[in-house]
Structures are given as structure tokens and as C-alpha cells.
Amino acid sequence: MDQKALAMFSHLSQSLHFAKTARAHHISPSTLSRAIQRLEDEVGGELLHRDNRTVVLTDIGKKFKIYAEQQLEQWLSFKQSLAEKQVELTGKLHIYCSVTAAYSHLPPLLERFRARHPLVEIMLTTGDAADALEQVQNQSVDFAIAAAPEQLPRSVYFHHLDTIAMAVIAPTMTCKVQQQLSQKVLTWSEIPIILPEHGAARKRFELWYRKKQQGKPMIYATVSGHEALVSMVALGCGVGIVPQVVVDNSPVKDKVRNLANIGEIEPFELGVCCLNQSKAQPLIKAFFNSIS
């Protein structure tokens, strides 16, 4: 069967979203739909139940998913055996990470990799750190720098890089938030809080705040990306919970301060992750070899 069609089906079986898979493979949803239809014609059965809102694998689709992944893995192994005969690696390596990670953790990794493989082209996409794992699972990138989730998906490989401390920060400017924080007894339910939309920092805030037993928090805003959160705190909008490394690399770090004696917040593990089925690919294998 056509390797591209198998790759598109494999991606679709994970995303269960025609538009996302179409974007990931740079094709239109109608082109993707026709490709899936051709696969169903070859298989002789329906692979997906789909309507205007949902996409669900059929029993045949679940079996074909295993077959497709095996075929793709064998194809990658074959390509690897040919690539290993080449003197130098070439191609593109697509990486996803947050803006902060692009400053704090990525440069030394790329420096070692490019010293060994100068002909490989690096493609970097930055965005919300909380979306890193999804970027890998959707096969939008080869690997990402991400926080380790509470339960790592079986399809994902995670290589530890660092342990990241969390901080609760407040503005240094004179504002209402400063006045509230100057009280001898803090009433946390009345202090405006800025939170990330989702991800490791959000979960750690919820656990930290729950221990205070002061009712519901006053959520001033939720933002996408820790960098924007630090900027909003610096403007006096509220207090926020962020990884310390984000504060250290922020251009407005002098306009915020860390709050002390407010309870411990669990750090999180930062690492490089990729799909397990991709570990054998020459470029990804070479990258992990260079950072080990």
C-alpha cells in the first residue's frame, strides 16, 4: 500500500480529526477523505465511522491501525538501513518548544547535534509549552521539549533534561495587588490570579491552592504561554504561577518578584520527547545520541 496513505491514516487514527490531519500533511480535508476511501476500498471494509462532529475507528480500523504502524515502522527501518551507509546525514528535523526553552535548553542540544551533523536542516516552531506533547502525538513535529505528564502515553518516548522549579510571582509596581499582599494575613480568595490555560503549571496551582482551603480562587485571566503570564503580572494584573526558568529569561523579570513562605509547589520534569515508533529514524536517533 501507498506509504503516504498509511502515514495519513496512522495520524488520523491518533487525532480522530480530519482537519488536523489534513493540516499536518499539507493537504485539503477532501484530499485526505479520498485517500482514506481508497484505503477502505483496498481493505474491503469501513475503517472509520464519521459524521459532522465525530470520527471513530471501526473494529476493522483498529486492526488496520496496527497493520499500518507495523508497515510504517518496517519502511522506516528499511530507510534507516540505507541511510546508515551514507557518510553524512541530511534532511530536516522539526522541533517544537516554548520561547523560553528556545533560549534556556535548546541551544546546547542543537550545538552538539549540528557539530556532528552540519548538513541537517533544523526547523523550529515555538508556542505554548502545554501543547508540546500534543504536537508530537499528532506527528506535527519530530520531537519536542515538554514537561513530563503524570502518565506518559505508551506511544511516547521521554528523555529527561532538567527538573524545573515553580514560582508564584507578584508585580513590583505600586498597585492594588501589592496592597493586598502587604496584609499580615493573606486572603487568597480575593487576590486576582493569572493562570496558564492548561498544562503542568495549571495542575500544580490547583493542588497548591486547594491546600489553602480558602474557597474558590479569583481568576483574573487565563493565558496561552508562560511568557505572556509573566508580562501580565508585571503590569499589575495579579499574581501568577510559572516555571522559575521562564521568569529568569523574561525581559520583564525586574518588574516581578517571587513570593516567599506561601507553601511548596512541586517541580516538574522537563525532557525531549518523540514517538516511540520514530526513535529508529536516522535523524532522531542521531539527535538523541548527541545529547546522551
Side-chain angles (χ1 to χ4, degrees), residues 176-248:
K176 182 179 178 180
V177 176
Q178 276 283 38
Q179 294 174 357
Q180 291 175 304
L181 293 172
S182 65
Q183 302 299 316
K184 291 183 178 180
V185 178
L186 298 183
T187 306
W188 281 100
S189 60
E190 298 178 0
I191 299 173
I193 295 174
I194 305 163
L195 292 177
E197 291 180 342
H198 56 289
R202 178 66 179 252
K203 292 181 180 179
R204 277 156 177 74
F205 163 79
E206 292 169 353
L207 180 61
W208 170 78
Y209 189 86
R210 196 179 304 128
K211 292 178 180 178
K212 296 189 175 301
Q213 298 181 342
Q214 291 198 21
K216 292 184 179 180
M218 180 188 293
I219 308 300
Y220 178 86
T222 57
V223 298
S224 176
H226 297 129
E227 295 81 10
L229 192 154
V230 176
S231 296
M232 290 192 70
V233 172
L235 291 170
C237 298
V239 302
I241 181 169
V242 291
Q244 183 63 51
V245 66
V246 177
V247 180
D248 295 340

Side-chain angles (χ1 to χ4, degrees), residues 95-110:
I95 306 167
Y96 180 93
C97 67
S98 68
V99 172
T100 296
Y103 295 132
S104 62
H105 289 81
L106 186 60
L109 304 181
L110 289 184

Side-chain angles (χ1 to χ4, degrees), residues 68-85:
E69 291 175 349
Q70 290 174 342
Q71 291 300 308
L72 290 169
E73 186 174 352
Q74 290 180 13
W75 173 244
L76 291 175
S77 296
F78 171 71
K79 290 172 65 178
Q80 178 187 6
S81 67
L82 297 180
E84 288 175 348
K85 297 179 181 179

Side-chain angles (χ1 to χ4, degrees), residues 18 26 30 50 55 71 74 80 94 123 135 139 163 174 176 191 229 245 264 280:
F18 272 77
H26 309 291
S30 59
R50 47 196 183 272
V55 177
Q71 291 300 308
Q74 290 180 13
Q80 178 187 6
H94 199 162
M123 301 175 67
Q135 290 284 324
Q139 302 179 42
T163 299
T174 301
K176 182 179 178 180
I191 299 173
L229 192 154
V245 66
E264 293 186 3

Side-chain angles (χ1 to χ4, degrees), residues 247-289:
V247 180
D248 295 340
N249 286 274
S250 174
V252 295
K253 63 182 179 181
D254 295 333
K255 297 182 179 181
V256 301
R257 64 184 179 90
N258 287 21
L259 296 180
N261 302 318
I262 56 171
E264 293 186 3
I265 303 175
E266 182 185 0
F268 66 85
E269 187 179 358
L270 187 74
V272 179
C273 60
C274 73
L275 290 177
N276 273 311
Q277 68 183 38
S278 302
K279 283 174 60 181
Q281 292 184 30
L283 292 183
I284 295 180
K285 181 179 179 181
F287 182 84
F288 281 113
N289 286 340

